[in-house]
Amino acid sequence: MYRVSKVLNNNGVIAIDMDENKEYVILGKGVGFGKKVSQRFDKPEGCTTYRLEQETERGSAKELVKGIEPEYLEIADAILTESQKVFGDSIDRGILFPLADHISFAVARIRRNEQISNPLTEDIRLLFYSEYKEALTVVPILKKRMGIDMDEHEVGYIALHVHTAIEKEELSQAMQIAQAVRDCVSYVENVLDKKLNVMSLSYNRLMNHVRYMVARQMSGEVLKLDMNDYMGQKFPEEFQMAAQICEKLGKDMRCQFSKVEIGYLAMHLQRILTDEELNE
């Protein structure tokens, strides 16, 4: 049984779970219709609940919800509902509040005709392909509800929010991973003096390797098999490139990558360089 503490709109209320004595946002079609403060009710089927007693990267959920229009909570809820169909119940729906807050600011930017530039959009789309696909659900919703067209750069940022819900990472970590991939690819492209084929298998392997390499650094995990001697002797140029990339990424992230990572990165660089040579 719940008790209404605030009606957001026809499709949303803030209510207290009378058994737990904890406050939730409850979203669902008609859940707020005709409700009054202090009214008791049973949660209808098909509604989603979000606990307000939690901290997010943007602050406490209880404070965030005060400044977010209910419609943006509904839109964020719709994105998470679609994402849950793909990624399952493991998705952390607690990102509702920072996601709704982000969408609110994005809509405000669009209405002011402020174009943002996201240099990582293409990397995000490739690196977090499934998350980007789910983030795209916001485009028709905003078009239908508000007559607003959201571009791919804004969608890229929303994809990062979806990713954090799946991997339980902070948004800043997801941005670091995407930036590390971009830096690595840019380094290789500068060496080759050409753009890499983003559709190649070796490119995707390299991209995902850098992704998990950064994730390992953040978690403190260390690879057990050392390939440095083999790669250093067999492919010295690629090994040197890998060492320079690890050094640069370490400086940018203010950390130091394990030396074992160099050999594995060199292996992926060797594959991508071979593929590029064969395609010339």
Side-chain angles (χ1 to χ4, degrees):
M1 181 73 70
Y2 290 87
R3 186 177 74 250
V4 176
S5 57
K6 183 178 181 179
V7 177
L8 298 174
N9 60 11
N10 285 342
N11 300 318
V13 297
I14 297 177
I16 297 171
D17 184 314
M18 297 179 65
D19 294 326
E20 300 178 355
N21 196 32
K22 292 182 178 179
E23 209 165 22
Y24 291 84
V25 168
I26 303 178
L27 301 173
K29 190 172 183 179
V31 69
F33 181 74
K35 293 287 193 305
K36 304 293 183 183
V37 173
S38 295
Q39 180 178 338
R40 299 183 180 188
F41 69 101
D42 290 318
K43 188 183 74 171
E45 287 188 17
C47 290
T48 48
T49 58
Y50 297 90
R51 186 167 56 88
L52 280 178
E53 294 178 12
Q54 62 171 306
E55 289 295 321
T56 76
E57 201 169 358
R58 290 180 180 242
S60 73
K62 197 164 188 174
E63 289 302 312
L64 272 177
V65 77
K66 292 178 181 178
I68 302 173
E69 292 294 326
E71 191 163 21
Y72 295 113
L73 294 172
E74 291 182 58
I75 293 170
D77 179 57
I79 295 171
L80 292 174
T81 296
E82 289 303 311
S83 298
Q84 192 168 18
K85 293 176 183 178
V86 175
F87 301 110
D89 292 335
S90 62
I91 191 167
D92 178 14
R93 297 188 72 119
I95 72 152
L96 174 91
F97 305 104
L99 176 57
D101 191 43
H102 178 89
I103 295 170
S104 173
F105 278 104
V107 168
R109 284 194 296 270
I110 294 168
R111 284 174 170 164
R112 292 193 300 265
N113 293 317
E114 294 178 2
Q115 290 283 344
I116 67 159
S117 176
N118 183 355
L120 303 177
T121 297
E122 189 61 29
D123 300 287
I124 291 169
R125 180 164 30 211
L126 292 169
L127 192 62
F128 308 123
Y129 174 79
S130 297
E131 293 94 322
Y132 188 89
K133 188 176 179 180
E134 294 311 306
L136 282 171
T137 60
V138 75
V139 176
I141 292 174
L142 288 178
K143 184 66 175 178
K144 181 179 180 179
R145 290 192 176 203
M146 302 177 179
I148 285 175
D149 293 310
M150 178 173 278
D151 66 23
E152 61 181 2
H153 298 299
E154 293 282 9
V155 173
Y157 284 118
I158 292 175
L160 290 179
H161 279 281
V162 176
H163 174 73
T164 64
I166 301 164
E167 298 295 335
K168 312 299 188 294
E169 293 175 350
E170 291 187 351
L171 190 67
S172 57
Q173 290 179 305
M175 283 291 289
Q176 274 191 314
I177 290 172
Q179 184 64 61
V181 170
R182 169 56 15 219
D183 290 344
C184 180
V185 170
S186 294
Y187 183 92
V188 176
E189 288 179 335
N190 287 336
V191 170
L192 296 176
D193 194 25
K194 63 182 288 190
K195 289 287 184 182
L196 296 177
N197 177 15
V198 299
M199 299 307 293
S200 70
L201 179 60
S202 57
Y203 179 95
N204 280 273
R205 283 175 172 168
L206 172 65
M207 183 177 63
N208 279 294
H209 176 77
V210 176
R211 169 184 176 177
Y212 291 114
M213 183 177 79
V214 174
R216 283 192 294 273
Q217 171 61 35
M218 290 177 175
S219 67
E221 180 187 351
V222 179
L223 291 169
K224 295 179 180 179
L225 182 62
D226 191 334
M227 296 182 62
N228 285 3
D229 288 342
Y230 172 78
M231 292 302 298
Q233 294 176 13
K234 187 80 172 176
F235 305 104
E237 292 184 8
E238 289 86 345
F239 186 83
Q240 184 61 30
M241 285 176 61
Q244 290 173 350
I245 290 171
C246 285
E247 182 180 3
K248 182 183 184 308
L249 292 182
K251 286 180 180 178
D252 292 342
M253 295 175 62
R254 298 180 181 178
C255 66
Q256 186 172 1
F257 283 89
S258 167
K259 290 184 178 180
V260 180
E261 294 286 359
I262 297 173
Y264 280 89
L265 179 57
M267 178 181 69
H268 286 280
L269 292 175
Q270 191 275 327
R271 284 175 175 171
I272 202 166
L273 293 174
T274 299
D275 283 356
E276 291 297 322
E277 289 174 2
L278 291 174
N279 292 327
E280 287 181 349

